[in-house]
Amino acid sequence: MLVAVVGGGQLGRMLGLAGIPLGLRFRFLDPDPDASAREVGELIVGEYDDEDGLKRLADGADVVTYEFENVPVDAVRALERYAPVLPNPRALEVTQDRLAEKTLFGVVGIPFHAYRPVDSLEELRAAIEEVGTPALLKTRRMGYDGKGQCELFDQSHAAAAWEAIDGAPSILEALVEFDRELSVIAVRDDDGQTRCYPLVENTHREGILRTSVAPAPDVSLDLRTQAERYANAILDELDYVGVLALELFQVGDRLLANEIAPRVHNSGHWSIEGAQTSQFENHLRAVLGFPLGSIAPRGASGMVNLVGSEPDAAPVLEIAGAHLHRYGKAPRPGRKLGHITVIADDAAARDERLTQIVRLVDQTPAEG
Ligand code: AMP
């Protein structure tokens, strides 16, 4: 079977790595001839809005899926003539636009923090009055890893913030004083069956995911139930097939939705070694109509992203339970180059190993 993937980054590469044992073949579309997934399948080099490239991608494929969501929705819709596109393009449409995403949260009854749509400097000034400060101005589209965002401390920053995001259609969000950030990775098959991986606790640095631990510590049954209810509500509302990530803020015993990723997600990388079935394999199982695999954890897991530089392999591999994943990408500041997962029998041993890994990664000199 041939799986066509829009995007050829590390997520595509890891989909390929998960699917090859199942006998699957892969084809990717990416504008970068050095795209990370080139080593696990055929790479079509082309822009995401290039209809010819998209058509070549879908030609003869059993399914088209994506690992990158900022793709023109109409172009992806056009592919439905050639092969099933899963998750369906509506999921792309909603998650490409922060305003549509908030509307979805409202429709399915998921709590989220205060926000206002902003289309002009005047509207920004009014929104600051309504939402209060500190606040975050985020472009509605094309924002990820903290890009297209600007923090605001008071009204006097309005003009500079508006300029910083190039006056793009935006939303102003209250800055949440969260206790911690959590995410839930969930998968839904074409019969509507869903499974949620255990909640993951995440830390970020400069807007980029830095570490994850799974299962997240100190998760009450109530918290887990809230997270799963929210994830399932989104999956059902979108009639979604595949893996989806829901990023959440924990405030006291409540969860507030931050954003949705309609794809496999960085905070689910621990599942490669840490779950009975990884998020990548379960995504493939779902979009190809195979039975879903168990999401049960194999132990206590952690993950550290390698951003901008990579440590030598040997000292990483010396750490018990550690696994190094490199994406074959040239180093650049702020670029995700790989990650390290770690697994242990219990949380205490995991934390000790994770601390060792973080220390090692922090000591790696920046490249370039
Ligand atoms: P995003 O691109 O919206 O996922 O934002 C990246 C990161 O910025 C999040 O994971 C948070 O750490 C932080 N962040 C985003 N929005 C907010 C918010 N409204 N309040 C506090 N922190 C936020």
Short mmCIF file of all heavy atoms in Angstrom, two decimals, residues 9 41 107 155 166 177 228 255 259 267 279 311:
data_model
loop_
_atom_site.label_atom_id
_atom_site.label_comp_id
_atom_site.label_asym_id
_atom_site.label_seq_id
_atom_site.Cartn_x
_atom_site.Cartn_y
_atom_site.Cartn_z
N GLY A 9 8.78 16.56 6.57
CA GLY A 9 9.63 16.85 7.73
C GLY A 9 9.81 15.62 8.61
O GLY A 9 9.52 14.50 8.19
N GLY A 41 11.24 7.27 1.84
CA GLY A 41 10.26 7.13 0.76
C GLY A 41 10.62 8.04 -0.39
O GLY A 41 11.66 8.70 -0.38
N VAL A 107 -18.26 25.42 20.34
CA VAL A 107 -19.35 24.56 19.86
C VAL A 107 -19.39 23.24 20.64
O VAL A 107 -20.46 22.75 21.00
CB VAL A 107 -19.18 24.29 18.34
CG1 VAL A 107 -20.07 23.15 17.86
CG2 VAL A 107 -19.46 25.55 17.54
N GLN A 155 -1.24 49.04 27.14
CA GLN A 155 -1.76 49.72 25.95
C GLN A 155 -0.65 50.39 25.12
O GLN A 155 -0.73 50.42 23.89
CB GLN A 155 -2.74 50.77 26.48
CG GLN A 155 -3.98 51.14 25.78
CD GLN A 155 -4.71 50.18 24.90
OE1 GLN A 155 -4.21 49.85 23.82
NE2 GLN A 155 -5.89 49.78 25.28
N ASP A 166 3.03 42.36 11.53
CA ASP A 166 2.76 42.86 10.17
C ASP A 166 1.28 43.15 9.92
O ASP A 166 0.79 42.98 8.79
CB ASP A 166 3.25 41.86 9.10
CG ASP A 166 4.77 41.76 9.10
OD1 ASP A 166 5.41 42.78 9.42
OD2 ASP A 166 5.29 40.67 8.81
N GLU A 177 -2.05 32.19 33.45
CA GLU A 177 -1.09 31.79 34.49
C GLU A 177 -1.36 30.34 34.84
O GLU A 177 -2.02 30.04 35.83
CB GLU A 177 -1.25 32.70 35.70
CG GLU A 177 -0.59 34.03 35.49
CD GLU A 177 -0.46 34.80 36.80
OE1 GLU A 177 -0.14 34.20 37.84
OE2 GLU A 177 -0.72 36.00 36.75
N GLU A 228 -9.93 13.66 28.11
CA GLU A 228 -10.41 12.68 27.13
C GLU A 228 -11.76 13.10 26.56
O GLU A 228 -12.02 12.92 25.37
CB GLU A 228 -10.49 11.29 27.77
CG GLU A 228 -9.10 10.80 28.12
CD GLU A 228 -9.04 9.34 28.52
OE1 GLU A 228 -10.09 8.68 28.58
OE2 GLU A 228 -7.91 8.88 28.79
N LEU A 255 -8.99 22.35 33.03
CA LEU A 255 -8.18 22.37 31.81
C LEU A 255 -8.76 23.39 30.85
O LEU A 255 -9.98 23.44 30.65
CB LEU A 255 -8.20 20.99 31.14
CG LEU A 255 -7.51 19.87 31.92
CD1 LEU A 255 -7.72 18.54 31.21
CD2 LEU A 255 -6.01 20.15 32.07
N GLU A 259 -4.54 24.82 21.84
CA GLU A 259 -4.72 24.62 20.40
C GLU A 259 -4.73 23.16 20.02
O GLU A 259 -4.36 22.29 20.80
CB GLU A 259 -3.69 25.40 19.60
CG GLU A 259 -2.27 24.95 19.77
CD GLU A 259 -1.32 25.69 18.82
OE1 GLU A 259 -1.77 26.57 18.08
OE2 GLU A 259 -0.13 25.37 18.84
N SER A 267 4.69 16.19 21.14
CA SER A 267 4.51 15.73 22.52
C SER A 267 4.08 14.26 22.58
O SER A 267 3.88 13.73 23.67
CB SER A 267 3.51 16.61 23.27
OG SER A 267 2.21 16.44 22.76
N GLN A 279 2.24 6.68 18.33
CA GLN A 279 1.28 7.56 17.66
C GLN A 279 1.40 7.45 16.14
O GLN A 279 0.42 7.57 15.42
CB GLN A 279 1.47 9.02 18.09
CG GLN A 279 2.83 9.62 17.75
CD GLN A 279 2.85 11.15 17.84
OE1 GLN A 279 1.82 11.79 17.93
NE2 GLN A 279 4.04 11.74 17.82
N PRO A 311 23.80 16.69 20.58
CA PRO A 311 24.95 16.13 21.30
C PRO A 311 25.53 14.95 20.53
O PRO A 311 24.88 14.42 19.62
CB PRO A 311 24.32 15.65 22.62
CG PRO A 311 22.89 15.39 22.29
CD PRO A 311 22.51 16.31 21.16
#
